[in-house]
Amino acid sequence: MAGILKQPGAFAITPHKVSLCILLKIYAPPAQISVPFPFASVAQHNRLGTVLLALTKACDDIFEPKLDELIHQLRMMSQNLESSWVIDQLMSRLSSLSSPDDLFNFFSDIRGILGGADSGAVEDEQVILDVNSNLGIFLRRCILAFNLLSFEGVCHLLTNIGIYCKEEFSNCPYEENSLDDSSSNLETYSEYENMDLENFVYEKVSEEIEARKEASEVVPFHLHTPNTLLSLVDDIDVTAESVSKHCEKVRVASAYGDPSSNMLRDVDQSGVVFLRTNGQVQGYLQEQADTIEKNGSTVSFNGLEIILRQLQKLAPELHRVHFLSYLNGLSHDDYIFALENLHCYFDYSAGTEGFDFMPSVGGNGFGRYEIGLLCLGMMHFHFGHPKLALEVLTEAVRVSQQQSNDTCLAYTLAAISNLLFENGISSTAGTLGSSYSSFTSIGISLSVQQQLFVLLRGSLKRAESLKLKRLVASNHLAMAKFDLTHVQRPLLSFGPKTSMKLTTCPVNVCKELRLSSHLISDFSYESSTMTIDGAFSTAWLRNLLKPTGSLVLCDNGSGSSSNVSQFIAQPTSIPGSVLQVLGSSYILRATAWELYGSSPLSRMNALVHATCFADASSSSDAALAFVKLIQHLAVFKGYKEAFSALKIAEEKFLSVSKSQILLLKLQLLHEYALHRGQLKLAQKLCDELGVLASRVTGVDMELKTEASLRHARTLLAANQFREAASVAHSLFCMCYKYNLQVENASVLLLLAEIHKKSGNAVVGLPYALASLSFCLSFNLDLLKASATLTLAELWLSLGSSHATRALNLIHGAFPMILGHGGLELRSRAYIVEAKCYLCDSNFNVFEDYEIVIDSLRQASVELQLLEFHELAAEAFYLMAMIYDKLGQLEEREEAATSFRRHIIAIGNPQDEDDPLVSMI
């Protein structure tokens, strides 16, 4: 092992820290007026100070260097007299600590090198440590840690110092240790050979090194690092000449580069030594967590687990490794693996590591049970176990209230709100907990929708009071989503009755979306003072091996110190989680405008997310933005454009089970098959879509609704009206049970379509009117236009006497249809308008035929883009009938030929490049 493993816990005094205290006393001896002996200049003296600064910054390493490694670093400072003298002084003073009294006297003496309140009156050239400097703070921490030791602790420290010095004298005496001596390196090689690395083949690594040597006189620095782990840190190329000059074999101890150690230690071309700190390891784990969230299942499961297993062996105190394994299992839908690692994480860490939650004041000392329950509930939610998730999260609410952990309570309420919103739960008795007993105490039973509203408001208020800005923004998005699809009703049903407008409020939706976007301005203002967990470590991790000059150790005094500021602090940008929340707001904006019927605004917001937040967003959000853009292409440009874009999206996103891209592909293929009359293929695609939904009740409600709707439409296209009506009626009952009111508007419209096509226009009228009522309540303007068009067709089916009423309905919906409707909706409107004119007894075909012909011609062009053969055939049939009445035989034959072509094409595709064949 290349270092000494520290015990996890608070700052503790160790032999290595005692050595640093001795070096600090040599650097700043008490009552010294000028540059101390043996330094001949201020530059040489500052060189030792820079070395000590780097060593004290590395005090949080998982491993502490041995004495021979410390001596090696001091010797690298300079080959002159001062380095040998400093090493002699260090060894002699360590050897003189032979009793507890010596330790007490030593720590009493080093107090004199710290500046006091009157330090401003010292001489100009006097060397003194500022109590607030990095070196001064380190020295004060060491003194405090020593003073807190019991007598047994002091004796134990003295024993460790003896072992610390004995290992140096027995293994590698400092008088004989030099850069050209490779005996210690041979010991290191034997350690590498005896390590348990059954997953790696070292022969291949050696062959790779020899091949690189033959190709050029440059060898990679991480000689003993397997390729699997080499990707964690950038290789540093060291010339063969430099390697042979400094040492025959380079020793490496790196948790990132080599799984045999958790002390990250590298050397650059100038012989500079760097240590990887505990914070950097945590930063790497944070980077991997961000990668899992962003890329999901595309991250290699086994590749990451091999690295995490090595880290777990070498540093068992890194409990976050278990949590990262839990996230890895979660992203790959491995329930047992994720549950096991989640239990391991909370068994070992009690939830005290890796969370931003502040500890509760009234804690019982048994860890954070409520955080464990929160994670467990979110895991059940992810795997589609809504009832278990609700039970666990309800228990988390109770424990958070008992422990006065308001932060955890706010996150738990947000998780319950998300659970109730995303999954269909018909009963939530006891969910709200004791905080909301004021309703239940007077015998009032709240519906699921009312409970969801109360939970959202409660979570938002708690997040605002605790100043949890990201949670506040997320809650505003949740409130916007709630206001988008729910009509707010009063919680109390008694009292004076007042008139209420039972509709959603788009103004409230826009308000919540704007409030969520304020998060970006808050973090921009605070970016100079904000530190995100792991951000500091990862920001300079890759550049740590590339400094020049006197950053850590130098061979001369002329090195530049311009990199010191980069070593101490890195500029922090807006966190990725903040950008992700902001990007989600644009996705929700696109969804809102899509429901409200504004296609240009929906497309614009999807484009903003795809172009501005692609790097920060999760893979699901990025895929959803692509889905909306491809759907827009299919509706407004036709399927060829959409399928071309879909191929690009499939290359960008992995098509796994239930992925947004896979669902979009099935939806587009189903629509395309229906339009072309390939009903068997459409039913097959519909069945594949339904198989993707979970069988658990209340889970994947959106996917189940979509599959049932498409199944009913397929049956309708096959003229199986009774079966289609039965499926649609069952779907309506399910949506009503789980309060899916927006979906009910579409189901009611489908029922009206079924009865219209079956010839029961009178039965279909109530369904169309009910769908219109839902559209008015939820401000579904485009769906309202479509329902109005269906209502006009129903009136027209009742006889020519209703043609004028139907025509007025169509003209009233035309602004919305022509401005925001897609190719199919516009074409339907043109055809129905033409049929209304032709059925109207007051319409003269011979005088005003151009009005009808223009509408039908426009419809035929757009329907041919969609390859919607049935409607296109109807348009050409009407055109042929009009031309026949007008006596224009040539145009009649042309329209009739087109009609015949589309009738033959239904269910009989002749195109060899058929997308249905190539994509299936």
Side-chain angles (χ1 to χ4, degrees), residues 14-25:
T14 60
H16 174 66
K17 293 186 177 67
V18 173
S19 300
L20 294 183
C21 291
I22 293 174
L23 292 174
L24 286 173
K25 190 175 181 181

Side-chain angles (χ1 to χ4, degrees), residues 406-425:
D406 292 333
T407 303
C408 183
L409 180 59
Y411 278 96
T412 306
L413 292 177
I416 294 177
S417 302
N418 191 30
L419 170 66
L420 294 178
F421 195 88
E422 296 293 336
N423 292 289
I425 297 179

Side-chain angles (χ1 to χ4, degrees), residues 849-907:
Y849 72 93
E850 291 183 358
I851 299 176
V852 182
I853 290 295
D854 288 341
S855 297
L856 292 175
R857 186 180 293 115
Q858 182 66 31
S860 64
V861 170
E862 295 182 348
L863 289 171
Q864 288 182 91
L865 287 176
L866 291 175
E867 297 186 48
F868 198 164
H869 297 307
E870 183 180 357
L871 271 184
E874 184 177 359
F876 282 114
Y877 174 79
L878 292 175
M879 291 172 65
M881 293 292 293
I882 294 172
Y883 285 131
D884 182 63
K885 284 187 178 182
L886 295 175
Q888 300 179 11
L889 301 182
E890 185 177 351
E891 289 80 359
R892 184 197 66 180
E893 292 302 321
E894 183 180 352
T897 303
S898 299
F899 166 76
R900 183 174 180 273
R901 185 178 67 251
H902 283 286
I903 290 296
I904 294 176
I906 294 177

Side-chain angles (χ1 to χ4, degrees), residues 342-354:
L342 182 65
H343 285 168
C344 287
Y345 171 74
F346 281 97
D347 286 344
Y348 296 147
S349 71
T352 58
E353 175 193 328

Side-chain angles (χ1 to χ4, degrees), residues 581-658:
V581 172
L582 186 62
S584 299
S585 71
Y586 281 94
I587 289 289
L588 187 55
R589 282 184 173 93
T591 304
W593 287 118
E594 184 180 349
L595 285 176
Y596 291 150
S598 179
S599 298
L601 287 176
S602 176
R603 177 173 176 269
M604 182 192 70
N605 283 280
L607 280 173
V608 169
H609 183 278
T611 54
C612 299
F613 300 97
D615 295 333
S617 65
S618 62
S619 57
S620 59
D621 282 351
L624 185 56
F626 272 77
V627 165
K628 291 186 178 298
L629 293 173
I630 295 172
Q631 286 175 336
H632 186 274
L633 282 177
V635 172
F636 290 91
K637 300 293 183 181
Y639 292 107
K640 290 185 178 179
E641 297 284 345
F643 285 134
S644 299
L646 181 62
K647 289 181 180 179
I648 299 174
E650 283 183 316
E651 294 175 359
K652 183 176 178 63
F653 302 99
L654 183 65
S655 289
V656 296
S657 177
K658 293 187 186 180

Side-chain angles (χ1 to χ4, degrees), residues 687-853:
D687 293 339
E688 291 186 9
L689 191 64
V691 166
L692 295 178
S694 173
R695 293 185 178 183
V696 180
T697 304
V699 179
D700 292 338
M701 295 303 301
E702 184 179 353
L703 184 54
K704 290 177 180 177
T705 303
E706 180 75 12
S708 297
L709 270 174
R710 293 184 177 276
H711 181 41
R713 289 181 55 199
T714 306
L715 293 173
L716 176 61
N719 294 327
Q720 299 179 13
F721 305 118
R722 187 183 300 275
E723 293 81 0
S726 177
V727 172
H729 184 267
S730 300
L731 178 58
F732 177 82
C733 294
M734 184 186 72
C735 293
Y736 181 81
K737 178 181 179 181
Y738 294 110
N739 200 34
L740 304 176
Q741 304 299 341
V742 174
E743 289 78 2
N744 261 340
S746 300
V747 177
L748 288 169
L749 183 57
L750 177 60
L751 283 167
E753 292 278 352
I754 293 171
H755 289 292
K756 179 199 73 175
K757 196 170 181 180
S758 65
N760 297 321
V762 176
V763 181
L765 280 172
Y767 291 109
L769 292 172
S771 179
L772 274 174
S773 176
F774 273 94
C775 292
L776 289 172
S777 296
F778 294 95
N779 294 283
L780 310 176
D781 293 342
L782 190 58
L783 189 60
K784 174 190 170 185
S786 180
T788 303
L789 182 59
T790 301
L791 184 62
E793 290 181 280
L794 288 169
W795 280 116
L796 189 60
S797 300
L798 294 177
S800 59
S801 59
H802 300 283
T804 303
R805 176 182 293 180
L807 191 60
N808 291 334
L809 288 173
I810 294 172
H811 286 168
F814 253 157
M816 191 67 194
I817 293 174
L818 299 182
H820 300 278
L823 296 176
E824 180 182 351
L825 185 58
R826 292 201 303 262
S827 300
R828 280 185 56 205
Y830 286 135
I831 293 175
V832 176
E833 181 193 29
K835 292 166 71 175
C836 288
Y837 279 123
L838 294 176
C839 291
D840 190 358
S841 59
N842 297 323
F843 181 76
N844 191 341
V845 177
F846 298 98
E847 295 180 359
D848 302 323
Y849 72 93
E850 291 183 358
I851 299 176
V852 182
I853 290 295

